[in-house]
């Protein structure tokens, strides 16, 4: 029995692979769901929500520092995305486009609301430290008090930041997005994002030192 | 502070942004090695980096809602999406119909016309006397001298009688 030389087999395989029609790039799960949702499939959009709701909530919470407000803001962002899905052109990923909407919703809310009073900050922070709210119920009382005070000061300091610095800082520090991702969400250059983050941190250090 | 120390401090100030990027792991390759090497030999920058590592995590207020929160969250969102799909509140549904604007406009015009037609003088302030016609004002003084007008009538009648008398004489 004659055996085909290995080198011939390898060459044959190489030729066949080079002539094979490349299969179309695999669509991401998000893109498939977006395509279905644009055709009116509500279930597809609900799946998109399930994939992104926790991250969206955390971003909104970074801005609002209050559970109910964060819930409302993230839901508003999802509704806006739902209403404007036909305008999504697919040039960026769905999450980039959606997080842009979410950030704008959060910033609009802050602009309308203005700065919170110290009492509102204290109440929001105390709610978060309530054992029924699901945060660290086993932390000692004095640590809770210190944490509450620091959180209040941080909230004041964050509110004092200009919107773009606050956005860049929250997305980087709280959410761990990369500089590149933040630049896509904010539709600006990566160098600009770096400057915003640096200035935000400088301002926070100064404000927290003044509040100490 | 000596000139050397000032220059070093200024250089460190310029490196702050790179130190922030180093803290967040955004520096790579040669740039990362260069900054890391500087930090090893610079206590100011090392302290700054340590301060970042200490402070920045504390600025994050986390929240981990319970499972029931997410059930309510998804249910509420589904409800809001369903409301949107239905077109929202009744007034929005009404104005979205193609015939609604012409009907509303026509109704408004008819209402205005009826108001002006039947409501003429309705909203007049009754404490204020109605405006008097200017023609009446001109005639009023004369109307007060009715005797004068009666005398004029008599004179007209006398003239007529004289004319009639002259005609009769001519005929005779």
């Amino acid at each position: 029995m004659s055996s085909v030389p290995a080198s011939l087999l390898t060459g044959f395989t190489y030729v066949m692979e080079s002539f094979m029609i490349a299969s179309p790039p695999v669509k991401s799960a998000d893109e498939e769901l977006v395509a279905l949702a644009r055709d009116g499939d509500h279930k597809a959009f609900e799946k998109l929500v399930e994939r992104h709701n926790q991250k969206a909530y955390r971003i909104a919470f970074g801005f609002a520092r209050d559970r109910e407000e964060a819930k409302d803001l993230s839901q508003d962002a999802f509704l806006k995305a739902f209403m404007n899905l036909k305008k999504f052109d697919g040039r960026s990923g769905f999450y980039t486009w959606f997080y842009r909407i979410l950030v704008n919703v959060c910033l609009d809310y802050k602009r309308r609301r203005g700065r919170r009073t110290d009492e509102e900050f204290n109440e929001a922070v105390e709610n978060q430290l309530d054992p029924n709210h699901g945060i660290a119920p086993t932390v000692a009382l004095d640590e809770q008090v210190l944490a509450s005070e620091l959180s209040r000061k941080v909230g004041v300091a964050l509110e004092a930041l200009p919107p773009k610095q606050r956005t860049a800082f929250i997305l980087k520090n709280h959410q761990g997005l990369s500089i590149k991702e933040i630049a896509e969400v904010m539709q600006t250059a990566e160098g600009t994002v770096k400057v915003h983050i640096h200035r935000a941190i400088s301002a926070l250090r100064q404000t927290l030192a003044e509040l100490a | 502070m000596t000139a050397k120390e000032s220059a070093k401090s200024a250089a460190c100030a310029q490196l702050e942004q790179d130190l922030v990027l180093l803290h967040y792991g955004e520096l790579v390759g040669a740039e990362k090695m260069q900054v890391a090497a500087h930090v090893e030999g610079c206590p100011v920058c090392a302290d700054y980096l340590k301060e970042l590592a200490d402070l920045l995590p504390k600025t994050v207020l986390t929240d981990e809602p319970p499972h029931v929160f997410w059930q309510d969250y998804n249910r509420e969102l589904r409800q809001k999406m369903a409301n949107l799909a239905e077109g929202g509140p009744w007034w929005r549904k009404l104005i979205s119909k193609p015939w609604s604007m012409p009907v509303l406009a026509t109704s408004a015009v008819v209402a205005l016309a009826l108001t002006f037609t039947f409501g003429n003088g309705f909203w007049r302030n009754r404490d204020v006397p109605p405006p008097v016609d200017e023609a009446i004002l001109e005639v009023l003084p004369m109307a007060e001298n009715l005797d004068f007008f009666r005398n004029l009538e008599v004179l007209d009648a006398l003239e007529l009688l004289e004319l009639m008398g002259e005609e009769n004489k001519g005929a005779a």
Side-chain angles (χ1 to χ4, degrees):
Chain A
M1 187 168 70
S2 60
S3 61
V4 180
S7 58
L8 193 59
L9 268 176
T10 308
F12 179 75
T13 309
Y14 175 77
V15 168
M16 287 306 296
E17 279 177 357
S18 64
F19 277 103
M20 273 172 68
I21 298 168
S23 56
V26 176
K27 274 189 177 178
S28 72
D30 274 359
E31 285 173 357
E32 286 178 2
L33 290 170
V34 166
L36 289 169
R38 284 168 81 162
D39 288 338
D41 186 347
H42 285 203
K43 293 285 181 198
F45 191 81
E46 284 170 22
K47 283 195 185 135
L48 273 173
V49 169
E50 281 171 30
R51 287 167 65 86
H52 296 283
N53 59 2
Q54 296 207 15
K55 197 159 184 182
Y57 172 81
R58 281 197 282 270
I59 291 175
F61 192 82
F63 280 90
R65 299 171 82 84
D66 178 85
R67 183 175 283 183
E68 284 304 309
E69 286 178 10
K71 183 188 81 170
D72 290 340
L73 290 174
S74 54
Q75 285 183 341
D76 283 350
F78 277 119
L79 287 172
K80 276 194 157 71
F82 177 66
M83 287 192 295
N84 292 292
L85 210 49
K86 289 197 186 323
K87 293 182 189 171
F88 172 58
D89 54 16
R91 276 186 292 180
S92 60
F94 170 76
Y95 81 90
T96 303
W97 176 76
F98 170 69
Y99 291 149
R100 200 175 296 145
I101 294 174
L102 174 61
V103 162
N104 286 332
V105 166
C106 293
L107 291 177
D108 283 346
Y109 168 78
K110 283 292 180 189
R111 254 196 301 274
R112 281 198 312 271
R113 198 174 190 280
R115 296 177 64 166
R116 280 203 268 191
T117 63
D118 283 350
E119 288 75 22
E120 287 173 314
F121 263 124
N122 286 338
E123 188 185 336
V125 169
E126 280 164 14
N127 282 342
Q128 304 315 320
L129 293 178
D130 178 1
N132 294 326
H133 250 261
I135 293 185
T138 58
V139 175
L141 186 61
D142 53 348
E143 287 181 21
Q144 280 191 32
V145 169
L146 283 173
S148 168
E149 182 59 16
L150 177 61
S151 185
R152 185 191 68 79
K153 288 178 184 174
V154 167
V156 169
L158 280 174
E159 291 254 321
L161 290 176
K164 290 183 179 175
Q165 289 181 19
R166 190 183 330 135
T167 302
F169 176 73
I170 287 174
L171 292 178
K172 183 67 211 163
N173 190 68
H174 295 34
Q175 304 305 319
L177 266 65
S178 68
I179 299 287
K180 184 170 180 289
E181 288 171 331
I182 297 171
E184 284 175 6
V185 170
M186 294 180 68
Q187 291 184 296
T188 189
E190 291 184 26
T192 307
V193 172
K194 292 175 185 175
V195 169
H196 283 325
I197 293 172
H198 173 224
R199 286 183 181 168
I201 291 175
S202 299
L204 279 172
R205 285 176 69 224
Q206 188 171 347
T207 307
L208 289 172
E210 286 168 5
L211 291 174
Chain B
M1 188 185 281
T2 63
K4 196 175 175 185
E5 284 170 347
S6 299
K8 197 173 178 187
S9 178
C12 290
Q14 286 183 355
L15 273 178
E16 271 190 15
Q17 182 169 305
D18 287 336
L19 293 174
V20 168
L21 296 174
L22 183 68
H23 165 77
Y24 285 124
E26 288 282 348
L27 288 183
V28 291
E31 199 179 3
K32 180 181 176 182
M33 286 173 58
Q34 190 181 357
V35 174
H38 171 84
V39 170
E40 276 187 29
C42 176
V44 171
C45 290
D47 282 346
Y48 181 80
L49 206 56
K50 189 171 175 304
E51 186 186 341
L52 291 181
D54 185 48
L55 171 68
L56 293 181
K58 291 179 183 169
T59 63
V60 181
L61 184 66
T62 57
D63 183 32
E64 297 296 334
H67 181 65
V68 66
F69 171 87
W70 292 110
Q71 289 177 331
D72 291 341
Y73 183 102
N74 291 330
R75 183 177 41 79
E76 275 179 35
L77 190 54
R78 272 197 296 274
Q79 185 60 46
K80 287 178 183 178
M81 282 167 57
N83 287 345
L84 267 182
E86 283 172 17
W90 65 269
W91 54 267
R92 194 172 287 170
K93 281 185 253 180
L94 186 64
I95 64 173
S96 65
K97 302 279 186 227
W99 46 261
S100 61
M101 291 313 283
V103 167
L104 285 171
T106 307
S107 306
V109 167
V110 168
L112 276 171
L114 288 172
T115 303
F116 285 129
T117 304
F118 296 109
N120 190 15
F122 182 76
W123 298 109
R124 179 176 56 81
N125 186 347
R126 298 192 189 275
D127 292 333
V128 174
V132 181
D133 196 1
E134 285 182 9
I136 297 176
L137 281 175
E138 287 174 7
V139 175
L140 203 57
M142 287 187 272
E144 288 173 356
N145 296 322
L146 287 176
D147 290 337
F148 173 72
F149 286 112
R150 283 199 199 103
N151 292 335
L152 277 179
E153 284 177 5
V154 167
L155 285 173
D156 285 340
L158 281 174
E159 282 180 12
L160 187 60
L161 284 171
E162 283 175 10
L163 277 170
M164 285 173 66
E166 284 174 10
E167 282 173 12
N168 287 337
K169 278 185 185 174

